Amino acid sequence: MNIEVRLIDNSKGKGIFATSYIPQGSILFEEEPLVACQFSWNATCKYEACDHCLRPLETAQNNVRRLTGISSLELPYPECCETKKEDITFCNLCAVKYCSELCRVQAFNQYHKVLCIQTSYRNNVHPLEQLEDAWKKIHYPPETSSIFLIVRLLAQTLQSSNKEHFTAQILNFCHRSVNEDAALAHKFLGEKFIGQVDSLRELLRNAIPNENIEHFLTPEGFQSLLALIGTNGQGVGTSPFSVWRDNVYKLNLSTQDKENIDNFIEKIYDDMFSHTGDFLNSEGVGLYKLQSCANHSCEPNAEIQFLHNNSKLSLIALKDIEPDEEICISYLDECNIERSRHSRRKTLMENYLFACECPKCLSQIEDPDVTSEEEMSECEIED
């Protein structure tokens, strides 16, 4: 790879730097997650995805029918849908769905052996189901993380043949729960959630074996894990309809057919927005070892994409990058990145516990420290 991870300083930590010239549009690297999971509310709303890699399990047509609420909608060019229903398989004990036998085996060997809930123990009585229900009651959509990242990390630790090595990988992520200088705790430990932290910890203790992971289940250890998933969790977006759309645009269509399909797709997106809102294809969240080393900038030179329609992450250069230039991404979504300096820094401090000093923030240092009502109404974060 034409990148490397370097230690910047003790306060900022690591960063990713280019080792040679990188042209705009290049894939800097691709990475599988250490662990990933679907958002709990997405699953409740019938977003069908592989329980391991988050690849969609529904066809493009079923996807748009669900998201538009139009059960009679028919997509042309069905050959452009890449969902392979014939490859879908299940855990033979708990009926969890996977996109392939490979994903089922990988999940079982990594963490599912510990977490498998036989169907006879379901109906909201199993501790894992109680834990998920408790999490959903304090984290309504749009979700930004999931308690099951912690669950799967701990289960993977228990199943690991080298528990010390895997624990070291977990601790290598930034897991600072407070910013002492700003006297601020991560939002998962703030006033909105602090009353639920001990309850979540006890539910977690009851849900999985405790041997060899007791240090993560102490109050301090659990708070550290909550901060870890809060500051490092990367949203994963997949969509069978988006794949269908891109494949249709590759077809050799006549001018009239292109115009017709453009209008058809635009109408579908309008219907989706009216019925479902903005959150159409955010399937879940993952932890990525290399991506977590990328620092934030409000003027990023790279962005994360999910080109394979699963949890495999691709980092793409947004502009030409020179040798020794730091590669930065935005931790903010498209809406928040356009907000005022004060609003951006406030969101970053609550979620990532740092005050941004990127070139854009430094150039706007004289701007007033206020948050406009328009910004709040357009881009309110629920979680």
Side-chain angles (χ1 to χ4, degrees), residues 20-193:
S20 60
Y21 170 76
I22 302 172
Q24 179 181 352
S26 299
I27 298 177
L28 286 81
F29 64 81
E30 294 191 313
E31 181 180 16
E32 301 281 0
L34 180 66
V35 66
C37 64
Q38 191 181 28
F39 286 136
S40 297
W41 279 106
N42 275 43
T44 300
C45 295
K46 307 302 182 184
Y47 285 69
E48 290 194 7
C50 174
D51 198 59
H52 184 62
C53 78
L54 306 186
R55 184 182 299 279
L57 299 182
E58 60 185 353
T59 64
Q61 180 162 283
N62 288 341
N63 182 239
V64 296
R65 285 179 173 180
R66 177 172 54 80
L67 294 176
T68 62
I70 304 173
S71 60
S72 60
L73 194 152
E74 297 282 343
L75 286 185
Y77 313 110
E79 69 277 10
C80 290
C81 174
E82 294 185 2
T83 303
K84 297 179 179 179
K85 302 287 282 188
E86 67 274 14
D87 290 342
I88 296 174
T89 188
F90 303 80
C91 171
N92 58 9
L93 293 176
C94 67
V96 165
K97 290 183 180 181
Y98 299 98
C99 68
S100 66
E101 179 66 10
L102 177 62
C103 274
R104 187 195 68 79
V105 172
Q106 287 181 342
F108 188 82
N109 290 339
Q110 290 177 20
Y111 54 82
H112 190 68
K113 183 178 180 180
V114 167
L115 302 179
C116 183
I117 308 175
Q118 297 186 29
T119 52
S120 59
Y121 290 102
R122 288 187 177 273
N123 298 321
N124 298 320
V125 296
H126 192 280
L128 280 174
E129 294 180 297
Q130 294 175 13
L131 175 64
E132 182 172 41
D133 187 58
W135 178 264
K136 286 166 62 180
K137 288 178 179 177
I138 57 176
H139 293 274
Y140 288 95
E143 295 169 270
T144 58
S145 196
S146 170
I147 192 70
F148 272 80
L149 279 182
I150 293 177
V151 172
R152 291 189 176 181
L153 278 176
L154 297 183
Q156 202 161 336
T157 304
L158 291 168
Q159 289 191 211
S160 174
S161 59
N162 189 336
K163 293 179 175 55
E164 290 185 0
H165 175 71
F166 191 79
T167 298
Q169 289 190 73
I170 296 175
L171 297 177
N172 196 46
F173 285 95
C174 172
H175 55 285
R176 181 173 63 163
S177 57
V178 298
N179 184 322
E180 293 83 359
D181 296 334
L184 183 70
H186 188 272
K187 69 173 186 178
F188 284 171
L189 305 173
E191 292 183 2
K192 185 176 179 180
F193 304 121

Side-chain angles (χ1 to χ4, degrees), residues 139-358:
H139 293 274
Y140 288 95
E143 295 169 270
T144 58
S145 196
S146 170
I147 192 70
F148 272 80
L149 279 182
I150 293 177
V151 172
R152 291 189 176 181
L153 278 176
L154 297 183
Q156 202 161 336
T157 304
L158 291 168
Q159 289 191 211
S160 174
S161 59
N162 189 336
K163 293 179 175 55
E164 290 185 0
H165 175 71
F166 191 79
T167 298
Q169 289 190 73
I170 296 175
L171 297 177
N172 196 46
F173 285 95
C174 172
H175 55 285
R176 181 173 63 163
S177 57
V178 298
N179 184 322
E180 293 83 359
D181 296 334
L184 183 70
H186 188 272
K187 69 173 186 178
F188 284 171
L189 305 173
E191 292 183 2
K192 185 176 179 180
F193 304 121
I194 193 62
Q196 307 293 332
V197 171
D198 284 340
S199 175
L200 290 172
R201 183 172 65 88
E202 285 304 312
L203 287 169
L204 179 60
R205 290 180 65 90
N206 294 332
I208 59 176
N210 297 173
E211 186 178 359
N212 298 315
I213 59 169
E214 295 91 343
H215 53 292
F216 285 126
L217 298 174
T218 65
E220 296 78 13
F222 183 62
Q223 289 181 22
S224 177
L225 288 177
L226 281 175
L228 185 155
I229 66 170
T231 55
N232 294 277
Q234 169 62 50
V236 178
T238 63
S239 168
F241 175 64
S242 294
V243 172
W244 174 89
R245 177 204 62 199
D246 293 343
N247 287 336
V248 167
Y249 284 145
K250 294 175 185 176
L251 297 175
N252 186 24
L253 301 178
S254 68
T255 301
Q256 184 61 55
D257 285 342
K258 287 181 180 178
E259 182 179 343
N260 290 340
I261 201 68
D262 280 340
N263 293 333
F264 178 74
I265 290 173
E266 183 178 355
K267 176 66 164 55
I268 285 178
Y269 277 121
D270 288 342
D271 290 338
M272 284 180 174
F273 183 79
S274 298
H275 184 71
T276 309
D278 287 327
F279 305 97
L280 302 179
N281 59 356
S282 183
E283 291 288 354
V285 62
L287 292 175
Y288 298 83
K289 290 185 285 185
L290 186 53
Q291 174 269 337
S292 70
C293 296
N295 287 310
H296 166 83
S297 173
C298 296
E299 292 181 320
N301 56 9
E303 72 173 3
I304 291 165
Q305 296 183 22
F306 292 91
L307 303 177
H308 305 278
N309 208 32
N310 60 12
S311 60
K312 186 175 183 178
L313 175 151
S314 304
L315 189 67
I316 313 297
L318 290 174
K319 57 187 73 172
D320 294 345
I321 300 174
E322 300 298 328
D324 292 322
E325 183 179 347
E326 184 176 5
I327 296 165
C328 294
I329 60 177
S330 172
Y331 295 176
L332 302 173
D333 60 28
E334 293 180 2
C335 185
N336 278 290
I337 198 69
E338 299 302 325
R339 295 175 72 177
S340 66
R341 174 182 183 270
H342 173 71
S343 296
R344 297 195 310 270
R345 284 164 61 93
K346 180 176 181 291
T347 299
L348 289 166
M349 184 63 82
E350 290 175 347
N351 288 273
Y352 303 101
L353 301 177
F354 72 90
C356 186
E357 295 183 354
C358 73

